[in-house]
Amino acid sequence: MTRYLIEGGAPLKGRVRVSGSKNAALPLIAATFLTDEECVLHDVPDISDVRVMLSIAEDLGSTYTFENNTLRIRTPEVKSSEIALEKARKLRTSLMFLAPLLHRTGETKIPFPGGCNIGKRPIDSHLNALEGLGAVVHRADDLIHLTADGFIGNLIRIVKLSVTGTETALLAAAAAEGETQLRLAAAEPHVQDVAKVVQKMGAQVEGIGTNVVTIQGAKKLTGFEHRVTPDYIEAGTFVIAGLVTKGNVVIENIDVDHLDVLWEYLDQMGAKYELRRDAMEVEVFPTDYLSHVDRVRSGVYPDFPTDLLAPMAVLLTQCDGISRVFETVYESRLNYTIELEKMGVKTEILNSHEAIIVGPAKLQGNPVASWDLRAGTAMVLAGLAAEGKTEVSNIYWIDRGYERFEDKLTALGGTITRIEEDA
Ligand code: EPU
């Protein structure tokens, strides 16, 4: 079990560059399967989820090089339309191969996918979209078995405004005959990135960034070159890291318009920061007094991202007064508050969606666990702000989504060391 040892208490200082988005890069790797031509993706984060996705792609017939965050990938022929169980179980985005495999081979069998342990994660949005575009579902239990004799454009309502469900629909619609209209489409920056890529591949897409997206399928989808959108969750994580350690940090490669609700909450707290839209930078300044926020509520984009709620909860521990976090997307994603209690924070889980956090708390270093990717990151932020030593276990979760996390924090003056199992 690899863990981090953190010596807290030092304000972070300096500049940090945000990597390309995990949640854009993963579906874009699957998108490359829609064509037999070469596809080039820049700014692909070198994280374990990307490596798993690439190894699935290789099993299915791709050849690729991945150097300095540039991925050159080509799948001249699809060798198999089935994904191995142990790989599918590792990540939910194995689902993203459904549409491309159906397009290329007319059939696919994918084991029910895995992913972060954050509540029920059904796949009806994917199946509903694929069925609507002409696929036939034969099984959808522990194994998903689909066939399709070509996709046909249609009107699709995306179940629960699902993010990856919308991406599956975009990939299928790009390859479909005729026009598809997606209603209740998710609009997150990574979904927009997938839409931009299918456009580069030859589909015509209107309404990118809105909840109604119209796609005119292309007869033949082509290769493309694309720079992955900056990871707005990583960006927000570093903004919070700077503020919670009372540091002075410049976050580079950030699209400030992706995080409007974060800025709104920071204004309510009285946090000092400066947005530089054209330079794609944000600078956070040491802020001694932060006021509580009545309720920080997650929601679908452009609302506050669920993936940033755990890091935000750590910042709320430093705010004066009682704040409330309200998780609307998942029903069991508040366990990190139990870990925060171990570090001296007064919190209470009110129900499966809501918790209160009493601040300002004097964070004390302690052994804590990562419950999922974002909860693990939150523990690292708490450790950096705490007095004394914090040990964060199960950090394989963090490796799934943050590129060189400890290197970036060390460059900002944080004291954080990776301890391997046998060390
Ligand atoms: N839902 C359904 N039916 C479906 C799909 C989803 O009821 O068919 C429900 C889920 O139960 C959940 C909600 O809708 O309550 C949202 O699920 P969604 O499908 O939108 O999530 P996802 O596509 O599986 C992506 C991100 C997650 C992020 C969510 C919400 C990727 C690869 N993953 O998941 O990222 O939390 O959207 O924004 O894009 C992370 O990066 O740490 C992470 C978990």
Side-chain angles (χ1 to χ4, degrees), residues 2-12 237-238 241 245 368 370 376-386 388-393 395 398-399 402-420:
T2 310
R3 55 199 201 277
Y4 279 142
L5 261 190
I6 300 163
E7 181 74 53
L12 297 182
T237 303
F238 280 111
T245 61
V368 285
S370 312
T377 312
M379 290 309 117
V380 172
L381 302 192
L384 289 167
K389 286 190 172 53
T390 295
E391 193 178 304
V392 183
S393 57
I395 63 164
I398 300 173
D399 292 338
Y402 287 81
E403 186 177 43
R404 299 184 298 101
F405 196 43
E406 70 262 33
D407 295 347
K408 290 186 182 185
L409 290 169
T410 303
L412 292 174
T415 306
I416 172 165
T417 321
R418 174 181 290 261
I419 310 283
E420 300 292 345

Side-chain angles (χ1 to χ4, degrees), residues 22-24 26-27 92-93 116 118-126 159-165 167 186 188 190 232-233 299-300 305-307 328-331 333 372-374:
K22 162 180 94 82
N23 288 342
L26 297 172
R92 182 162 169 87
T93 41
C116 270
I118 47 180
K120 272 187 271 148
R121 297 183 81 185
I123 61 163
D124 43 328
S125 59
H126 297 257
V159 177
K160 299 273 165 57
L161 283 97
S162 165
V163 166
T164 49
E167 291 164 356
E188 274 72 2
H190 32 287
Y232 74 128
I233 305 298
V300 297
T306 166
D307 294 336
T328 70
V329 180
Y330 297 108
E331 66 290 318
R333 213 184 189 185
D372 65 61
L373 165 56
R374 309 302 174 182

Side-chain angles (χ1 to χ4, degrees), residues 24 35 49 169 261 276 290 295 333 377 381 398 406:
T35 176
D49 272 10
V261 185
R276 300 178 196 131
L290 293 169
R295 194 161 81 156
R333 213 184 189 185
T377 312
L381 302 192
I398 300 173
E406 70 262 33

Side-chain angles (χ1 to χ4, degrees), residues 54-104:
L54 287 175
S55 110
I56 295 176
E58 203 168 25
D59 293 347
L60 300 177
S62 304
T63 52
Y64 69 87
T65 60
F66 183 30
E67 282 161 14
N68 300 323
N69 298 106
T70 291
L71 174 68
R72 289 173 196 281
I73 183 164
R74 191 172 167 210
T75 314
E77 244 176 83
V78 177
K79 280 199 310 215
S80 165
S81 52
E82 295 185 29
I83 297 183
L85 178 69
E86 77 279 5
K87 291 186 183 167
R89 285 276 152 86
K90 282 190 178 158
L91 82 179
R92 182 162 169 87
T93 41
S94 53
L95 278 178
M96 298 310 313
F97 285 106
L98 286 172
L101 286 176
L102 280 171
H103 170 58
R104 293 285 293 273

